[in-house]
Amino acid sequence: MFGRSRLSRAFILTASLAVTGCAGWVENNLTQAPNPWRRLAPADLPVTLPNSPQFPIVAGRTRTTGAIYTSYMVVLGNPTTLPGENRLTLDVHTLPDSLVGALIQPPRVFPVPLYSTQTLTVTLAREFPGMTVKVADGARRNRYGDYDYAVAQDAANTCVFAWQLISDHDRMLPRRIEAVRLEYRVCGSDRNPRVLLRSFDEMALTLPETVLEIDDLKRL
Amino acid sequence: MNRLIRPLLGAALIGLSVGASTALAASTPGGRALAPGVKVDVAPAPGSGPAAAPGAMDDSALRYYARIGDVERLEAEIARLRALDPSWEPPKDLFTPQAATPGVDESPFWALLSAGKFAEARAAIAEQRRQSPSWQPSAKLLQELDVAEGANRLRGASDTKRWQDVIDAAAAQPEAVACNRLDNAWRLAEAYAELKQTDRAFDRYKTIVSQCPKAKERRDTIFKASRYLSPEQLRELTAIGATANPAAGEDYTTVRKVEGELESGRLLERLGNPKGGALSAADLSRVEQTTRDKQDADAAIALGWYFQRQKKHAEAQSWFAEANGWSPSDKAAEGLILALAGMGKKAEAREAGTPWRGKSSRVDQALKAVADPPRGGTGGGPAAPQGPSELDMALARNDFAGCLNAVQRMIARSGPTAALVQQRGWCLLELKRPTEAEAAFVEAQALAAREPAKSDKPAKPTSRRANSDRGLEDNATPAQENAYGQAVARLATGDVAGLTRDLPRANLTTTQKAEIRASLLATEANRALEDKRYLDALRLLDARKELEPEPRNLGILRGWSLYNLHRLDQAYALFKSLDDRLSTEESREGLSTTWKTIYHDW
């Protein structure tokens, strides 16, 4: 539900734009629910993954939520018979590019903190039903800094679930990007989770505006 | 339904009390019914003077509610005053315009109070006292203002889930949670429950069902409480509600029935859930009895599938037959066909499907399964004589991982066929891997095009979806089956825009196309509701309804669209109709919220 302040802001905006003949703009921009997913060719995805015969890119998709969130999903091959798709998701939160855009903002597409103990438990149970799940004690590091992950296993399969928030404006993110959320979920038959995490460790973001890698800064 | 006609009555009373009240009052001698059980004598002529002696009873609020035609509050105030003095009778000149009395007219303050402008009301009273230092506002006005402010604080805290503040507000102003403000009383009980103080919540619910006289209010309170209380506590609550402090003219049998309705609802939900496990003999017996008593065809079908899943085909057949007898439907016929087939009575199974043959895809598919049980992976060839294949057994167990393994082994053994790859697509869909499923259907399409002399013939049912309620038509070619699989997969991935664009050109049968179109419209309607485009949601649902009957979940969606468009009577009628057929948490929530909204200011 709308809060009172948001309602009043939206009302003022609607009224002022309607009288100035911008009702169409208002109609388009008041839509804050996520738009439907659209297909995206792998070459057009803003991320490059290492070649992996085990986890090839099956399809790419994108959708927007309001004017400031763009989400991408890369569906990867799944060599197991487990339910659920192997995937990498990327949510880009940009800053509004106008005062008007700042007045109407959709609800966040991802929470910060990304997970609490409770929400992580629910998510892992949903992603890996019936499997033994363990959240890793220590973080790992990829090109964009530290990330956390969990490992799920049954007799024949191993799965990993990794999540990462890039929000370092001082060093990594361009001004226009508020934050980037990454999630990676992959199941395979290899017992070593590091093998399953390889794509996440080695991926490179290719957003229109450069996101610096953590090692770029060391080289300076 | 009384509550639905009260606004009309209120509106009528406004007319009576404002313009033509004198003439009408004079021309309708005797009593005027405000609501069931409440009658107020109307003076035969104006000017008969105030009924109550000064100082005997403060009737200023009563007169104000009568003047503005607020029947609910008028009724509550009459009940309150009668509770204070059982011998008290409402004044005879309640609807007669009052001559201007000397002193200060309190109407403006009451108007502000009624509009929820409490601060303005207090400011206006203070200003009036500054102008007329000798004037004192009526005690009733001040009391109502206190209560209304307390009630407002309580609602605000409840809306923002500040549960302790709800309890504090109620403690500071107990009248704010009295029976005439039942919504607040519910919110207080809810606050206790949310704070895990279940015993206190239980006490509050007990107070409501024992003190509030109306049967409907007691019934709704028990439904509300069902969210928080244990079955034992609900049983006790029902017993209290059905017997405590009965009011004349109220029929409490509806209260007694609540427990059974709640229990049946819970059991039916478990029945319908394949993972719900087996019911105890006592529970099963209870739900069977309720189903028979109500001749509830939907519940009978749920029972039928429950037994069918356990391979108790005779019991399943009996319930599907009952359902078909009470209310013939293709769903019941489908179950009947499969149950009879499970019993080995194929001729009877075919006969059971005759009335729906060619009219219902689900029945046609069931008949097809009876006539020619699918043999996944045989590529449409003759059925293997040596019993069910590994793939058949995996599908019968709803073991879709097993299905993938079986398909993989068969492909490794004899190479890929269009049918096998298509089957892999259906199993991937069941495993919630729609993107890979779509790729499988595309691959199956390519294979089918290469397989000789099959692409232009109707497909044999070489592959299938378990628990499918989507019918693959008799006359669908392999190409059409694959295109249909792709469309279903794209729906599952949320590719609504792309699918909408491609659907007109897709190689699908008319029925398949209508089915996909209906699903697209349902998805769009859901999105429209989330996006608060309620008129759009209704438009899309109406369009969908022309293609297929509206399922229950979309009926709920339609109800909320109507509710948000403030078409409350329509929303209430729809939720009521859904709830009468099968009472679920969703239908009860819709019903209760709409009802509360219509009568928010009791």
Side-chain angles (χ1 to χ4, degrees), chain A residues 184-196:
Chain A
Y184 176 76
R185 184 263 195 209
V186 153
C187 292
S189 49
D190 200 305
R191 302 302 287 171
N192 184 353
R194 289 184 185 184
V195 174
L196 303 179

Side-chain angles (χ1 to χ4, degrees), chain A residues 98-167:
Chain A
S98 68
L99 179 62
V100 172
L103 282 171
I104 306 174
Q105 291 193 19
R108 300 185 76 133
V109 300
F110 55 86
V112 177
L114 296 179
Y115 286 103
S116 65
T117 310
Q118 194 179 11
T119 58
L120 182 61
T121 305
V122 172
T123 302
L124 293 173
R126 189 183 60 232
E127 291 286 343
F128 311 119
M131 299 179 81
T132 305
V133 182
K134 186 175 185 312
V135 179
D137 293 331
R140 282 176 66 83
R141 172 168 286 214
N142 64 9
R143 291 167 182 251
Y144 303 99
D146 293 345
Y147 69 82
D148 291 292
Y149 69 103
V151 179
Q153 289 189 313
D154 64 13
N157 307 289
T158 300
C159 301
V160 291
F161 183 80
W163 62 99
Q164 184 171 25
L165 180 68
I166 307 174
S167 57

